[in-house]
Structure formats: C-alpha cells, structure tokens
Amino acid sequence: MTTLSPPVLLMGFCAVMSAVAVWRLAVDDDRDSVDVGTVLVVLGITLGTVLWSAVRESWLTWTERAVIATAGVVLSGIGLTLIVRYWRGPTSGRPGSNDLETSDDRL
C-alpha cells in the first residue's frame, strides 16, 4: 500500500483552500483589493507546496520547478503588496483619525 508523504497531503489541502478562496472571491459582491491580495497569497502558498512536493517526490524537471517557484513568489509578492497597500484601520472620514483617539482639550 502506498502512503502519501506530508508535502503531498499539504499540497492537497492547500489546493482545496485555494479553490474555496477563489470561489468566495468570485461570488462575493463586496470584494476589495485586500480580498484579491489574500487569494493571491493563498495561491502562492499552494504553488510553494506544489514545488515542495515536486522536489520531494522527484516530479517535474528543474525548469518546470523554476517556473512554479517563480510564479509562487510573484503571486505571493503581488498579494502581499495589495494587502499592505490597501489595508486600512477604522477611520472616521479624515486621514489619520482613529475612533479610539481622545481629545487634547483636557490638558
């Protein structure tokens, strides 16, 4: 009986999570750039597990592995850039304001 190695099991799990993330992004009417960035990071992580499985199980050629690695790094980088660029805390309309901010009138 053949058993699956841990990288292959993780690759399967990440593939399912990627499918769920893409599906939720596709059906969500209120998506934003952070949602797109999160999906890209999940896809990049999935490609990382594909690469790990390919190296561990001796799948694919070195050129194909390099393409997968490059795609994973690029997707993750773009996703992280989108998350960092468009992540905003709660604001009350003016830049730099915070709902928890106190007034300096009490000094």
Side-chain angles (χ1 to χ4, degrees):
M1 185 168 133
T2 305
T3 60
L4 296 174
S5 66
V8 174
L9 291 172
L10 181 61
M11 179 184 68
F13 175 77
C14 287
V16 170
M17 291 298 104
S18 291
V20 169
V22 169
W23 175 256
R24 289 191 56 136
L25 184 69
V27 299
D28 189 13
D29 291 333
D30 191 31
R31 61 184 164 264
D32 60 1
S33 297
V34 174
D35 296 334
V36 174
T38 303
V39 169
L40 290 176
V41 169
V42 169
L43 290 172
I45 291 170
T46 300
L47 288 176
T49 60
V50 169
L51 177 66
W52 184 21
S53 297
V55 169
R56 176 86 185 252
E57 302 294 330
S58 299
W59 298 336
L60 308 175
T61 65
W62 284 103
T63 305
E64 293 166 331
R65 292 176 189 173
V67 169
I68 290 172
T70 303
V73 168
V74 167
L75 286 177
S76 295
I78 293 171
L80 285 172
T81 302
L82 285 172
I83 292 170
V84 169
R85 171 69 176 95
Y86 294 105
W87 189 275
R88 300 190 197 287
T91 60
S92 62
R94 60 187 175 99
S97 67
N98 190 346
D99 292 340
L100 300 176
E101 190 174 279
T102 58
S103 175
D104 290 337
D105 294 338
R106 60 190 170 139
L107 293 177

